Amino acid sequence: METYKMNNDVLDYHFEIINDGNELTESFCRKWDIYSYCDRYNEKLKCSFVGMVVKKDNILLSFPKHYHVDKVILRDEKSKVLQDMKDILHIIKRDRELYGVEPGQLADTIPVDAYQYILTYYLEFGLYHRQLRDTVKGYKGHINWHQTINSIRPLLSDGNFIYSPFVVNCEYDESIFITECMDYVLFDFYNTFQTLLDDIHPYKRQFYNPIFDEYDFCIAKLQTLCGRLFKDYERLLLKSLIRYFQWKSNRSKSSKFLTLYFELVWERMIHMYLSKHIRIWGHDYEITKEEQPCKLNIIKPDSMDIEQREADEKSRFSIQFDHFFKTCTSKKQPLILLFDSKYFTNDVNSFNYKQAFYYYYLRGKYKNAIIKSALVIPTSGKRKTVVHVDRQHIDGLYIREEYINLKDVIECYKKSIS
């Protein structure tokens, strides 16, 4: 099978830049092998991922919505935009480490999570080494008389019991294959992606075995070993090795590291940003560009039932707030901040009924509270506030649209997870 290796100087590659949500042509999707990562509406294809695709000497970078990037030609321009994507991929990787791999990730994406576990094991324990003890039927080795007598039916000959074959103790070193698998993965990943991804540990290959070109054999051998008695962390090592070889076996001629769920990443990033950039003044709030000295304890509450049911019945409907903060004003009046993160391509152009329902739900629960509600939306421009709906003179409903520069949010989140 053809194995694809990158040139060391990735800045000589041809770069193409798109954004999540861009409309794409059939030929473009076919060229980059990204049909599975696009949505089709009314015969139109739209990009639905954030991340990187590498194919031969070409790189496709798909940035989030509202992340403006100019076309790149010069090496310095390529270096800058590649580092920007590395920062985003680092955030996606850390997000998966904290919350797990999101649903919908397809098998041909680069198994960074598998590599990360193999690397962590290597940095803590070194290359795998463990001698396994077992018993087999045969004549070479130390006879295990206890198992021989209890498991082998003897033959009677001239008044003597004859056991054939014996059960013998044997030791064999499975570490050789597992060690070489680890060695292969650590070197292959470093050699392939060192210029494209951060957090990759330098590694020089110690062994060479042509068997690692036979991916299906390696998978079958590792799966057999999984059936043996291993400790939990060793099983995770074997499963990570299997995942890596499955990717090598099934992948196309392109390499992909991406997410189909950047809206989840946006929600977690904005949660951190709000907690550090909100200033309470009087009975209102302000989102500041500068980080505030006091971090707010903004939470994501558990889902809540919204129906009145019998004690032993479960509600069919529930709600869950994205970002919730409750405090008191200087006059001891409850103040509630409620934000809903929205990963939109354009500005809001329709009434948000969900956020309105949230307000009425909270108004029923906290009758005397001051409730400030807002939609939080990324923008490539300057920070701004827009009134979404104003019914203060009727029933108090007042919802804002808070537009926050996406690059500022990414920079804040990157610092917090470094």
Side-chain angles (χ1 to χ4, degrees):
M1 179 179 292
E2 177 187 359
T3 55
Y4 163 59
K5 298 295 182 184
M6 295 181 183
N7 298 328
N8 288 331
D9 198 346
V10 70
L11 299 182
D12 287 335
Y13 289 14
H14 170 68
F15 279 53
E16 290 199 46
I17 311 294
I18 60 174
N19 285 92
D20 185 12
N22 281 172
E23 187 174 323
L24 305 175
T25 64
E26 294 271 352
S27 60
F28 186 90
C29 294
R30 186 164 50 251
K31 170 186 173 182
W32 287 102
D33 187 28
I34 55 172
Y35 275 110
S36 301
Y37 304 95
C38 296
D39 293 327
R40 185 182 290 273
Y41 297 107
N42 298 324
E43 301 303 317
K44 292 183 179 180
L45 285 166
K46 285 191 175 182
C47 172
S48 61
F49 70 90
V50 171
M52 175 177 62
V53 180
V54 184
K55 191 171 184 180
K56 294 185 179 179
D57 294 338
N58 300 277
I59 296 181
L60 173 66
L61 302 178
S62 178
F63 284 90
K65 300 169 184 177
H66 301 285
Y67 197 105
H68 179 71
V69 178
D70 293 322
K71 289 184 178 181
V72 294
I73 300 174
L74 302 177
R75 290 174 63 85
D76 288 346
E77 296 170 339
K78 291 180 178 180
S79 179
K80 172 62 171 62
V81 76
L82 183 59
Q83 187 56 56
D84 288 349
M85 178 54 71
K86 283 184 178 182
D87 291 341
I88 293 171
L89 295 180
H90 174 71
I91 288 172
I92 294 171
K93 183 179 76 68
R94 289 288 291 128
D95 201 68
R96 289 177 180 172
E97 291 171 5
L98 293 171
Y99 302 102
V101 177
E102 62 265 28
Q105 292 301 310
L106 303 185
D108 63 344
T109 55
I110 302 169
V112 178
D113 52 329
Y115 164 78
Q116 200 64 43
Y117 186 85
I118 296 166
L119 175 62
T120 301
Y121 185 101
Y122 170 73
L123 295 176
E124 186 171 354
F125 302 108
L127 293 174
Y128 183 85
H129 179 77
R130 179 189 173 198
Q131 280 194 329
L132 301 178
R133 291 179 174 83
D134 203 352
T135 55
V136 296
K137 294 179 180 180
Y139 301 98
K140 293 182 179 181
H142 296 91
I143 300 174
N144 186 320
W145 285 110
H146 178 76
Q147 288 200 30
T148 298
I149 292 172
N150 284 280
S151 62
I152 303 299
R153 188 171 184 176
L155 299 174
L156 185 61
S157 177
D158 295 331
N160 297 313
F161 287 110
I162 300 176
Y163 292 89
S164 179
F166 299 125
V167 176
V168 296
N169 295 325
C170 65
E171 291 185 357
Y172 51 94
D173 198 348
E174 289 292 357
S175 69
I176 296 174
F177 182 71
I178 300 174
T179 297
E180 292 189 359
C181 284
M182 285 184 66
D183 175 74
Y184 172 84
V185 172
L186 291 170
F187 174 78
D188 184 70
F189 199 90
Y190 170 69
N191 188 53
T192 307
F193 299 111
Q194 59 179 304
T195 58
L196 293 171
L197 300 174
D198 287 334
D199 306 323
I200 298 180
H201 190 74
Y203 189 87
K204 293 183 179 180
R205 190 167 190 181
Q206 301 179 31
F207 309 102
Y208 179 77
N209 190 336
I211 198 64
F212 292 111
D213 291 333
E214 302 295 332
Y215 303 132
D216 291 338
F217 171 83
C218 295
I219 294 168
K221 175 75 171 177
L222 289 167
Q223 287 173 334
T224 300
L225 290 174
C226 263
R228 300 254 174 88
L229 294 178
F230 286 94
K231 297 177 181 178
D232 288 344
Y233 67 92
E234 293 174 320
R235 286 182 179 274
L236 283 174
L237 173 64
L238 292 175
K239 289 179 179 179
S240 297
L241 292 169
I242 291 170
R243 168 77 180 92
Y244 194 85
F245 282 110
Q246 286 174 335
W247 169 71
K248 294 288 289 186
S249 175
N250 295 329
R251 76 179 211 182
S252 63
K253 292 182 180 179
S254 63
S255 297
K256 306 178 182 73
F257 182 29
L258 50 83
T259 179
L260 297 167
Y261 294 88
F262 194 78
E263 65 269 19
L264 299 179
V265 180
W266 166 250
E267 179 183 324
R268 288 159 187 157
M269 289 195 303
I270 205 63
H271 196 91
M272 175 68 70
Y273 188 87
L274 292 173
S275 69
K276 291 184 175 184
H277 290 261
I278 287 183
R279 180 174 66 196
I280 304 293
W281 49 279
H283 59 273
D284 211 336
Y285 72 90
E286 178 187 13
I287 301 177
T288 64
K289 187 173 179 61
E290 302 77 22
E291 190 170 312
Q292 295 299 303
C294 296
K295 180 180 177 181
L296 297 186
N297 184 30
I298 296 176
I299 64 171
K300 182 181 178 71
D302 294 334
S303 60
M304 298 165 285
D305 293 339
I306 61 173
E307 287 185 294
Q308 287 187 342
R309 312 286 287 180
E310 297 296 333
D312 59 341
E313 289 184 305
K314 290 185 177 180
S315 173
R316 293 175 300 163
F317 305 107
S318 62
I319 59 174
Q320 185 175 32
F321 306 138
D322 285 350
H323 318 285
F324 179 87
F325 178 73
K326 183 174 178 289
T327 187
C328 287
T329 67
S330 58
K331 296 181 179 180
K332 306 300 181 183
Q333 186 176 12
L335 173 63
I336 294 174
L337 306 184
L338 179 64
F339 300 96
D340 198 37
S341 50
K342 297 296 183 184
Y343 181 59
F344 290 155
T345 302
N346 301 309
D347 291 353
V348 180
N349 54 18
S350 61
F351 179 62
N352 193 284
Y353 290 94
K354 185 176 77 169
Q355 198 71 2
F357 177 83
Y358 287 172
Y359 168 81
Y360 293 124
Y361 174 85
L362 290 172
R363 175 56 64 213
K365 190 173 183 180
Y366 303 99
K367 298 186 183 303
N368 298 320
I370 300 170
I371 302 173
K372 300 296 179 179
S373 181
L375 309 172
V376 187
I377 305 159
T379 179
S380 59
K382 293 182 179 180
R383 152 120 185 78
K384 66 178 180 179
T385 299
V386 176
V387 176
H388 182 66
V389 63
D390 185 355
R391 289 171 52 93
Q392 294 181 91
H393 60 294
I394 301 174
D395 54 17
L397 175 64
Y398 183 74
I399 302 175
R400 296 166 172 157
E401 298 168 13
E402 301 285 7
Y403 292 87
I404 303 179
N405 185 274
L406 175 60
K407 292 184 179 180
D408 290 344
V409 176
I410 289 176
E411 186 64 27
C412 173
Y413 194 72
K414 185 179 69 173
K415 290 178 180 178
S416 71
I417 63 174
S418 298

